[in-house]
Amino acid sequence: MSGLSFDDAEIGMRFDTPRRTVTEADVVNFCGVSGDFHALHTDAEGMRDSQFGARIAHGALVLSIVTGLRGRLGVFTDSLLAFAEIRRWRFVRPVLIGDTIYATNEIVELRPTSKPDRGVMVQKVEVFNQHHQVVHEGEMVSIVKRTVHA
């Protein structure tokens, strides 16, 4: 198995994702996929005078990009069984078109399940922009394979 198994994981392990710039195409495509054509994302003139000063990316789009960035790490390529839950996710700052984001992930909880071949892993996730400001934060819960069976 490639990737980190539940039994090899330790509380406090950290993984930083690669960076990715949020593009106009990302926002336009997400509008189409989600059906969310709110002016926050589509009205450049109106948003120029808003509290944000420009159009912003959908919060759900940024969250989706983060799941992709986390997958690019390869840390759990063969060991991830399921993405089970998102806890206490907060949209701290807006992400503008052209912002570059990345995420830090820290294992904060590990617990075996009733099935000996898997465990629950909770990671604290913080998403940063190019100014190293937190833009999103929360916890992601995964079910991960075990290599040692109790």
Side-chain angles (χ1 to χ4, degrees):
M1 173 174 61
S2 65
L4 187 69
S5 75
F6 177 87
D7 300 292
D8 295 327
E10 296 177 10
I11 302 288
M13 283 183 156
R14 293 178 55 95
F15 313 98
D16 294 338
T17 70
R19 294 183 307 260
R20 184 183 185 293
T21 301
V22 179
T23 67
E24 171 84 17
D26 293 328
V27 172
V28 169
N29 287 327
F30 198 80
C31 284
V33 168
S34 67
D36 181 352
F37 290 90
H38 194 281
L40 289 167
H41 318 299
T42 60
D43 183 353
E45 289 302 311
M47 290 306 294
R48 193 169 285 128
D49 296 327
S50 75
Q51 63 183 353
F52 305 118
R55 289 177 298 147
I56 61 173
H58 305 73
L61 167 60
V62 174
L63 177 59
S64 296
I65 290 171
V66 168
T67 63
L69 289 174
R70 287 167 41 93
R72 287 177 52 193
L73 288 170
V75 174
F76 302 103
T77 300
D78 292 332
S79 57
L80 179 69
L81 292 170
F83 183 29
E85 181 182 358
I86 298 173
R87 295 182 182 164
R88 297 181 290 278
W89 199 261
R90 293 184 345 113
F91 305 108
V92 179
R93 285 186 177 81
V95 174
L96 304 175
I97 296 168
D99 280 355
T100 298
I101 61 172
Y102 65 96
T104 63
N105 308 272
E106 179 182 358
I107 299 173
V108 295
E109 183 181 336
L110 293 165
R111 68 176 185 278
T113 67
S114 60
K115 297 182 180 179
D117 64 337
R118 61 195 65 189
V120 175
M121 177 183 295
V122 180
Q123 292 180 54
K124 175 184 174 186
V125 180
E126 292 181 304
V127 184
F128 295 89
N129 63 18
Q130 68 274 15
H131 306 294
H132 310 291
Q133 299 169 313
V134 174
V135 295
H136 286 206
E137 64 183 6
E139 293 180 339
M140 294 189 178
V141 182
S142 302
I143 308 300
V144 181
K145 289 180 186 175
R146 294 193 71 180
T147 54
V148 178
H149 303 297

